[in-house]
Amino acid sequence: MDMKTPAARPPWSRAILRGAAGLTLLLTVSACGLRPAHAPAIPPPAVDGANALRLATAFTALGPRPAGSPGAQQAAVWITARCREYGYVPEVDTWTEAPAGTALTFRNVLACLPGRAPGRILIASHYDTKLLPEAPGFAGANDSASSTGLLLELMRAFARLQPAWAGPTLEFAFFDGEECLDHYSATDGLRGSSRLAARLRTTGTAKEYRAMILLDMVGDRDLKLTLPVDTEPGLARRLLRLAERRNWDSHVGFHSGAMLDDHIPFQELGIPAVDLIDFAYGPDNSWWHTAEDTTDKLSAASLAGVGQLAADLAADLAATPAPAR
Ligand SMILES: [Zn+2]
């Protein structure tokens, strides 16, 4: 993610979405169709923080993965292989754009777990790293390997639920191109999330989504989630209640402003979205976007806490009728 306060720039940049609307869409039909049935309340899966940390560490070891680089291509292949290991059939959505005037190939990795209840829940992370000339080896342990590893662990945990997941269809998205090359604009930054949101708009499927849950910078051993202040109130209340139930509410607070992050293109579509982000990484956030962002700063307990909150949220939504939108 990048610095995202209203003081720095408008938090909700409609220009970003105008840019996304101009993309050439390669639409594919999702294998996850809706299944009309009533979903009974089901317990969430137990999230394994140690597995999330193992995945995040292995992903970091691949090296830098800025959008358009061979490292990013290798990262997408690695994610795809893990998805298959966990029983998914991933789709790699590949396209070319020229943010900041440089033509780059982007790849989103998408997968889904069919549910038995109506609706969909999107859980996502970006997987690219910021291109840092001053730190050419920057491999982003927290930003973005932590959330990539945790998203894969969530996929594993939900796929192994017995009995099978009875809630809404779960869609998982690994976004490329979250980081901007120059500065956030209509064509620079949030490329993967804008790409998927444009698909939902074009296909008219946005209204099927109960929620969008974004994971970003979730591995800090000293973890404090700082939810954007404009998080949809119902979703925020639900999150705080669930965190309290786990005695984990001391790890959840609010950021002083909004965040310009991958949840915004979905929020703009009217989908209740939350950015589970810890934007206090090291003293005064000084490890963010620096060579200090290394795996020794991560902890399995933090990953387990955030992952469990996300899993609890999905299960809690599954047990509640969808409001009309
Ligand atoms: Zn970042």
Side-chain angles (χ1 to χ4, degrees), residues 14 103 132 185 193 248 302:
R14 294 202 175 269
L132 296 176
S185 72
S193 51
W248 205 69
S302 295

Side-chain angles (χ1 to χ4, degrees), residues 1-2 4 126 128-130 138 143-144 178-179 184 216-217 288-289:
M1 59 86 62
D2 214 309
K4 295 150 190 178
H126 77 96
D128 60 310
T129 47
K130 179 80 172 169
F138 175 70
D143 182 11
S144 57
E178 186 276 338
E179 305 286 3
Y184 282 93
D216 196 0
M217 298 175 71
W288 172 62
H289 285 180

Side-chain angles (χ1 to χ4, degrees), residues 43-162:
V47 176
D48 182 350
N51 190 46
L53 180 59
R54 183 184 66 78
L55 289 160
T57 303
F59 192 59
T60 306
L62 294 178
R65 44 191 189 278
S69 70
Q73 182 174 16
Q74 190 187 0
V77 169
W78 188 91
I79 292 168
T80 301
R82 301 291 84 71
C83 290
R84 291 205 177 96
E85 270 178 29
Y86 292 151
Y88 291 81
V89 182
E91 172 201 348
V92 181
D93 181 22
T94 303
W95 73 104
T96 300
E97 284 186 72
T102 307
L104 299 175
T105 297
F106 295 86
R107 296 169 191 82
N108 280 348
V109 182
L110 309 169
C112 69
L113 182 69
R116 295 207 300 275
R120 298 165 187 270
I121 296 172
L122 174 63
I123 313 178
S125 160
H126 77 96
Y127 71 87
D128 60 310
T129 47
K130 179 80 172 169
L131 188 60
L132 296 176
E134 69 277 18
F138 175 70
N142 197 30
D143 182 11
S144 57
S146 67
S147 50
T148 300
L150 182 55
L151 187 55
L152 285 165
E153 161 54 18
L154 282 167
M155 291 173 68
R156 184 203 64 79
F158 274 103
R160 277 158 183 70
L161 268 175
Q162 296 295 336

Side-chain angles (χ1 to χ4, degrees), residues 78-318:
W78 188 91
I79 292 168
T80 301
R82 301 291 84 71
C83 290
R84 291 205 177 96
E85 270 178 29
Y86 292 151
Y88 291 81
V89 182
E91 172 201 348
V92 181
D93 181 22
T94 303
W95 73 104
T96 300
E97 284 186 72
T102 307
L104 299 175
T105 297
F106 295 86
R107 296 169 191 82
N108 280 348
V109 182
L110 309 169
C112 69
L113 182 69
R116 295 207 300 275
R120 298 165 187 270
I121 296 172
L122 174 63
I123 313 178
S125 160
H126 77 96
Y127 71 87
D128 60 310
T129 47
K130 179 80 172 169
L131 188 60
L132 296 176
E134 69 277 18
F138 175 70
N142 197 30
D143 182 11
S144 57
S146 67
S147 50
T148 300
L150 182 55
L151 187 55
L152 285 165
E153 161 54 18
L154 282 167
M155 291 173 68
R156 184 203 64 79
F158 274 103
R160 277 158 183 70
L161 268 175
Q162 296 295 336
W165 171 244
T169 289
L170 297 180
E171 297 192 349
F172 303 95
F174 298 84
F175 296 132
D176 199 355
E178 186 276 338
E179 305 286 3
C180 58
L181 290 181
D182 186 8
H183 61 274
Y184 282 93
S185 72
T187 55
D188 194 5
L190 308 187
R191 303 323 306 145
S193 51
S194 296
R195 166 83 172 182
L196 182 58
R199 178 192 285 194
L200 303 191
R201 187 189 306 104
T202 304
T203 55
T205 52
K207 59 183 179 300
E208 296 176 9
Y209 288 77
R210 298 286 309 276
M212 189 273 185
I213 305 169
L214 180 63
L215 312 172
D216 196 0
M217 298 175 71
V218 289
D220 186 0
R221 63 191 176 212
D222 177 23
L223 192 99
K224 182 70 181 275
L225 293 179
T226 43
L227 309 178
V229 73
D230 61 346
T231 302
E232 197 270 321
L235 205 51
R237 275 197 300 275
R238 199 186 286 259
L239 269 169
L240 292 170
R241 175 171 53 78
L242 293 168
E244 204 170 335
R245 191 186 291 173
R246 295 270 183 190
N247 262 337
W248 205 69
D249 45 315
S250 63
H251 295 279
V252 184
F254 284 92
H255 188 65
S256 56
M259 295 269 184
L260 187 61
D261 208 348
D262 281 323
H263 65 302
I264 292 293
F266 301 93
Q267 212 169 42
E268 288 274 11
L269 288 178
I271 298 172
V274 65
D275 188 3
L276 299 182
I277 184 167
D278 170 8
F279 202 47
Y281 186 39
D284 297 323
N285 203 28
S286 58
W287 297 339
W288 172 62
H289 285 180
T290 74
E292 292 294 317
D293 183 3
T294 47
T295 51
D296 57 299
K297 315 291 195 309
L298 309 185
S299 90
S302 295
L303 290 162
V306 180
Q308 199 60 64
L309 188 59
D312 287 359
L313 179 57
D316 197 61
L317 286 164

